[in-house]
Amino acid sequence: MNWLTSIFGTKQEKEPIDPMKKYLIACLGNIGAEYVNTRHNIGFKVADHIAKQEGASFETVKLGTLAEVKIKGKTVFLLKPNTYMNLSGKAIKFWLDKENIPLENLLVVTDDLNIPFGTIRIKGKGSDGGHNGLKNTQQVLNTGDYARFRFGISDDFKKGRQVDYVLGEWDEEEKAKLPERLDMAAEAVKSFVLSGLANTMSSYNGK
């Protein structure tokens, strides 16, 4: 090591990122071509929309695909787990631990039958609400104290047809409205990163 290297370090060295400036946006869905345009996969759609806006691409990684974006000095990891919905927590915990991301900087994006189509509801903690992805995440993290972003898909189905509805594709009216709703969802996610949970809930809940 020469005197220049000893003073300035090598070019390969990278400054470690402050964990408080790192965020994991875990967007839930099911892998496979048959699920791409289903209501249950709105989490993946939100992740794809943000990545496209930010000019980022997804890479296949352990337990999912991941895109890294920078938003005003914050490092944001967009995760699409490949574990299928029922084991989402495994991928979420792995990437929280690997990137040393604090639990308060986690946002889990899911669909929700109990909310009108396209409506946003963000909470800092709560129950799984019967959602298998949230249920597994709570089991694996051993807490329900993490932020979750629910995207309404409504409950416009006949009795006994819930599974078909959730795993069904958007109707034509929903497809027409989806781009604007995805824009709003992306805004809300970025607000979580830049303005915090409380401000984001106040600004976007019910929109």
Side-chain angles (χ1 to χ4, degrees), residues 40 113 157-158 160-168:
H40 212 28
L113 283 166
F157 57 88
K158 294 178 181 177
R161 305 289 299 191
Q162 177 174 324
V163 173
D164 292 336
Y165 178 78
V166 169
L167 296 180

Side-chain angles (χ1 to χ4, degrees), residues 177-193:
K177 294 178 179 177
L178 204 51
E180 185 271 332
R181 291 287 84 201
L182 287 170
D183 283 342
M184 182 68 72
E187 279 183 25
V189 170
K190 292 173 187 177
S191 173
F192 171 77
V193 172

Side-chain angles (χ1 to χ4, degrees), residues 5 8-15:
T5 302
F8 297 107
T10 63
K11 288 183 179 179
Q12 285 75 29
E13 288 176 351
K14 284 177 122 180
E15 278 291 316

Side-chain angles (χ1 to χ4, degrees), residues 48 50-58 67-69 78:
D48 290 340
I50 297 171
K52 185 176 180 181
Q53 286 181 337
E54 299 299 318
S57 57
F58 284 89
E68 181 179 339
V69 301
L78 300 169

Side-chain angles (χ1 to χ4, degrees), residues 7-207:
I7 294 173
F8 297 107
T10 63
K11 288 183 179 179
Q12 285 75 29
E13 288 176 351
K14 284 177 122 180
E15 278 291 316
I17 302 171
D18 179 353
M20 293 309 296
K21 292 184 178 180
K22 291 168 45 168
Y23 292 79
L24 181 65
I25 311 300
C27 301
L28 307 191
N30 287 313
I31 58 171
E34 67 270 34
Y35 296 113
V36 169
N37 292 310
T38 62
R39 295 181 177 90
H40 212 28
N41 266 39
I42 189 60
F44 282 11
K45 287 285 189 192
V46 171
D48 290 340
H49 198 72
I50 297 171
K52 185 176 180 181
Q53 286 181 337
E54 299 299 318
S57 57
F58 284 89
E59 293 184 11
T60 300
V61 294
K62 185 169 182 178
L63 301 177
T65 58
L66 197 72
E68 181 179 339
V69 301
K70 300 284 188 181
I71 303 177
K72 294 186 178 179
K74 307 290 180 71
T75 299
V76 180
F77 297 95
L78 300 169
L79 173 66
K80 296 191 291 184
N82 67 4
T83 54
Y84 288 101
M85 191 69 80
N86 294 0
L87 296 174
S88 298
K90 183 178 180 182
I92 291 171
K93 185 173 191 312
F94 176 83
W95 285 100
L96 282 175
D97 292 346
K98 180 174 174 56
E99 294 296 335
N100 191 29
I101 298 171
L103 190 62
E104 59 263 38
N105 287 3
L106 167 68
L107 180 66
V108 180
V109 182
T110 70
D111 59 303
D112 195 306
L113 283 166
N114 300 310
I115 308 173
F117 168 77
T119 301
I120 292 170
R121 184 173 297 164
I122 300 168
K123 293 178 67 177
K125 60 182 178 180
S127 70
D128 56 61
H131 191 285
N132 289 332
L134 295 179
K135 188 179 296 183
N136 183 252
T137 299
Q138 183 161 328
Q139 288 172 349
V140 173
L141 298 181
N142 198 31
T143 181
D145 293 345
Y146 61 88
R148 68 282 311 273
F149 175 130
R150 289 184 165 107
F151 185 107
I153 63 171
S154 80
D155 59 356
D156 188 20
F157 57 88
K158 294 178 181 177
K159 187 174 181 180
R161 305 289 299 191
Q162 177 174 324
V163 173
D164 292 336
Y165 178 78
V166 169
L167 296 180
E169 297 196 357
W170 307 100
D171 63 31
E172 292 306 313
E173 184 179 352
E174 290 168 335
K175 284 179 185 176
K177 294 178 179 177
L178 204 51
E180 185 271 332
R181 291 287 84 201
L182 287 170
D183 283 342
M184 182 68 72
E187 279 183 25
V189 170
K190 292 173 187 177
S191 173
F192 171 77
V193 172
L194 296 175
S195 302
L197 176 63
N199 287 332
T200 302
M201 289 170 59
S202 175
S203 297
Y204 290 93
N205 273 351
K207 285 194 172 181

